[in-house]
Amino acid sequence: MKNNSFLATSIVVLCSLVSYIIGDAPHFISAFGLTVRSSSQLTNQLYEVVVSTEEVLGDQKIRILVPTDYATSGVNRRYPVFYLLHGAGGSEIDWTTSGIAGKACSNLSLITVMPNGGEVGFYTNWIIPGKLAPQNWRTYHMEQLVPWVDFNLRTVTKKQGRAIAGDSMGGFGAIHYAELYSSNFVYAASFSGALDLMNPVIQSLIYSIRIIDNKPLVGPFGYPSDSISSNEWFAQSTTTHAAVLHDVSVALYTGNVGSLEVALRDSSYRLRDLLTLFSFPVYFMDYGDGQLIGYGCDGNHDWLCFNAALIDVLPRIMAVLQQEF
């Protein structure tokens, strides 16, 4: 039985490598700490892969959108990768259900990767994971998923070939990852992200978003009252590390309608002001009630505006991403 299992695995790996070499449709195999449990093709361009990892509890789903010509473009054609992160309470399906990534990205020369980040994972390695351990989302995404994607797909495997963006919690995650792994991304965008973790209003929102182990949400960042020397809210705030974004183009979007959007709005301004102070490239749009950006945005913290921000930022991202032929 062991020999048959080894033979079956070897055949899968060989077929995947052959497909990679001749430029065929994607076939996903285990690597870099990710074990592929299953994969399915949802549409001509959209795939869903289920993986497991020792870094995060439970199986994890990833949605991957490939360009229209991926299967026919040949071995020398490599595409840039766009990591698109979801917000709190969401999952990997968000950007292809409520979001319009399937429509907005499908005609671009771009591989779009939409991983699960947990309902309240906050794109970090949790300080207090408790019964949900392990909750090492940062390690899973940045040290396993990124090289796994490059291994399985014909990608531009350098900084100039990657961009990252997200909404709300995912907006924080996009900037946070671009700061901690600045050599991975040439562009990072936040759509109404919770960027300033030292803002008491944002701390209160995150702290009270979910009760786990009969406690407020202390898992990702610990307690806001911790001393500054050991305070992970300070250590992981995007405003704390703004200085490392000197070679990353940044886009920040915010509106001003609804209590949640207004609560998060100040953090976008805070990060913008820091980047401007450092003379770093930043594109900033406060679209107010949505009329400035259009596309049906109403200024709220909702999918109408997240989708509008995606439509607006994609040409800016494509202008800097590198293609390989």
Side-chain angles (χ1 to χ4, degrees), residues 6 11 19-20 46 106 127 182 204 228 232 239 249 311 322:
F6 175 78
I11 291 172
S19 295
Y20 181 93
L46 184 63
S106 61
I127 305 304
S182 59
S204 178
I228 197 69
E232 289 297 318
T239 54
S249 294
I311 293 169
Q322 183 174 317

Side-chain angles (χ1 to χ4, degrees), residues 73-279:
S73 57
V75 64
N76 293 323
R77 182 66 169 103
R78 291 177 171 269
Y79 301 86
V81 183
F82 179 37
Y83 289 85
L84 192 51
L85 310 181
H86 66 80
S91 73
E92 75 290 334
I93 73 171
D94 280 16
W95 276 106
T96 53
T97 52
S98 300
I100 59 167
K103 179 179 179 181
C105 301
S106 61
N107 291 321
L108 301 176
S109 295
L110 185 69
I111 296 170
T112 304
V113 177
M114 297 157 281
N116 180 40
E119 289 192 0
V120 287
F122 274 93
Y123 302 98
T124 188
N125 290 355
W126 281 27
I127 305 304
I128 309 173
K131 295 178 182 178
L132 297 180
Q135 290 286 302
N136 298 321
W137 294 100
R138 172 183 58 78
T139 301
Y140 161 48
H141 289 144
M142 291 294 99
E143 299 179 16
Q144 294 182 323
L145 180 61
V146 169
W148 179 86
V149 168
D150 288 340
F151 179 76
N152 276 276
L153 297 164
R154 301 193 314 277
T155 66
V156 178
T157 60
K158 54 188 173 183
K159 176 186 179 78
Q160 292 76 15
R162 298 190 199 96
I164 189 167
D167 66 278
S168 197
M169 180 183 79
F172 164 79
I175 304 299
H176 183 54
Y177 283 168
E179 290 178 337
L180 296 182
Y181 297 85
S182 59
S183 62
N184 274 2
F185 303 103
V186 71
Y187 205 108
S190 165
F191 311 149
S192 302
L195 302 177
D196 184 2
L197 296 183
M198 292 305 288
N199 183 315
V201 176
I202 291 178
Q203 289 181 345
S204 178
L205 286 170
I206 295 174
Y207 197 59
S208 62
I209 198 172
R210 188 69 51 87
I211 301 297
I212 296 177
D213 292 343
N214 296 315
K215 300 176 183 177
L217 188 62
V218 297
F221 309 113
Y223 292 90
S225 59
D226 289 344
S227 65
I228 197 69
S229 61
S230 60
N231 193 306
E232 289 297 318
W233 296 82
F234 171 76
Q236 299 197 50
S237 177
T238 67
T239 54
T240 301
H241 302 283
V244 306
L245 294 170
H246 59 91
D247 60 349
V248 179
S249 294
V250 174
L252 306 174
Y253 293 82
T254 185
N256 67 4
V257 176
S259 59
L260 180 55
E261 187 67 16
V262 170
L264 298 176
R265 182 170 177 259
D266 284 349
S267 67
S268 292
Y269 273 89
R270 172 70 172 148
L271 183 57
R272 181 206 64 175
D273 291 346
L274 286 170
L275 295 174
T276 301
L277 180 66
F278 294 136
S279 299

